[in-house]
Amino acid sequence: DTGVSQDPRHKITKRGQNVTFRCDPISEHNRLYWYRQTLGQGPEFLTYFQNEAQLEKSRLLSDRFSAERPKGSFSTLEIQRTEQGDSAMYLCASSAQGEEDTQYFGPGTRLTVL
Amino acid sequence: QKEVEQNSGPLSVPEGAIASLNCTYSDRGSQSFFWYRQYSGKSPELIMSIYSNGDKEDGRFTAQLNKASQYVSLLIRDSQPSDSATYLCAVIMDSSYKLIFGSGTRLLVRP
């Protein structure tokens, strides 16, 4: 069983550009989560999906962020008009309903906004 | 007050010693508790989960939960230099499924 995969692993962009990240969860995991982590801090929750439904979104998430999971499999996270403060590691995790909420993380996408 | 609190460290222990990592949380209704290990530049890796009061052992790792004190800890026996990493405590609170993380404790195991 392969783990969670994320693409790209690294992204460098200029301020004001749009970026999109992809996450492929562990197969048959119906819950998918996005987190953001900055240096010296623990991951911070952004949003989560159960199947294709986005069930929760952090109040800290600005309108420039949007996430989708159109077929209940992979998910994308888009950041529009990037700002330097968006520089962080973006982590995706997945879990299976009924497995005590255990979340497994992908390798992350490191975003640098110049 | 942060929802999940950890001492940032570093906690330095000699090789072969027991490392004790502690975490407190604010939501008394929390039901699920996790310890993740994170090496520098890498993503979090699940070490242990615990849901009931008491101890749970897995190899060299023991998680301890005390819901009355809102306290969860991780013991690492026979610490190895390869255990040097940041250990993240995470809690699922109320009816949400999202993890709330502490800032992590950096552990350094000296050879």
Side-chain angles (χ1 to χ4, degrees):
Chain A
D1 188 17
T2 58
V4 179
S5 62
Q6 292 187 245
D7 185 69
R9 297 289 302 276
H10 302 274
K11 179 71 177 178
I12 299 174
T13 192
K14 293 183 179 180
R15 188 176 54 185
Q17 297 296 304
N18 299 343
V19 294
T20 300
F21 309 141
R22 176 178 171 128
C23 171
D24 287 87
I26 294 171
S27 58
E28 299 179 357
H29 277 193
N30 64 333
R31 293 188 181 133
L32 186 149
Y33 311 78
W34 286 98
Y35 294 84
R36 175 174 63 189
Q37 187 177 24
T38 54
L39 196 62
Q41 300 299 314
E44 175 187 37
F45 171 78
L46 295 178
T47 189
Y48 116 84
F49 293 84
Q50 181 161 304
N51 299 313
E52 65 274 9
Q54 187 173 18
L55 296 187
E56 189 171 353
K57 188 175 176 180
S58 170
R59 285 171 288 179
L60 301 175
L61 207 59
S62 81
D63 291 342
R64 296 184 296 106
F65 288 71
S66 63
E68 294 182 340
R69 195 183 183 198
K71 297 183 180 179
S73 56
F74 73 92
S75 174
T76 59
L77 176 69
E78 182 184 17
I79 309 174
Q80 296 182 326
R81 304 180 304 282
T82 52
E83 302 173 357
Q84 288 185 324
D86 297 331
S87 295
M89 174 80 87
Y90 289 83
L91 295 162
C92 176
S94 70
S95 68
Q97 192 168 0
E99 287 190 5
E100 298 181 313
D101 312 321
T102 303
Q103 295 180 28
Y104 299 91
F105 283 83
T109 295
R110 181 165 297 283
L111 173 66
T112 302
V113 182
L114 302 176
Chain B
Q1 181 188 4
K2 288 187 178 179
E3 295 178 287
V4 179
E5 297 214 43
Q6 297 181 254
N7 188 316
S8 61
L11 173 65
S12 181
V13 300
E15 184 174 354
I18 296 175
S20 177
L21 304 162
N22 305 314
C23 171
T24 59
Y25 59 94
S26 61
D27 184 353
R28 187 171 290 277
S30 299
Q31 297 296 323
S32 305
F33 307 86
F34 305 86
W35 284 98
Y36 287 85
R37 178 175 62 197
Q38 188 172 31
Y39 293 111
S40 180
K42 303 296 185 183
S43 64
E45 172 192 9
L46 181 70
I47 298 294
M48 295 279 290
S49 60
I50 187 166
Y51 306 94
S52 305
N53 279 329
D55 295 358
K56 179 181 178 182
E57 187 174 321
D58 184 0
R60 295 187 297 113
F61 299 96
T62 298
Q64 300 175 316
L65 175 61
N66 184 327
K67 290 186 178 181
S69 300
Q70 296 174 241
Y71 178 91
V72 59
S73 65
L74 180 70
L75 301 178
I76 307 174
R77 289 181 299 282
D78 188 24
S79 295
Q80 301 297 309
S82 59
D83 295 326
S84 298
T86 295
Y87 289 80
L88 296 163
C89 172
V91 178
I92 292 181
M93 299 180 177
D94 58 59
S95 59
S96 171
Y97 293 103
K98 64 179 182 279
L99 290 169
I100 306 295
F101 283 88
S103 297
T105 297
R106 190 158 66 94
L107 173 66
L108 177 63
V109 181
R110 308 187 304 271

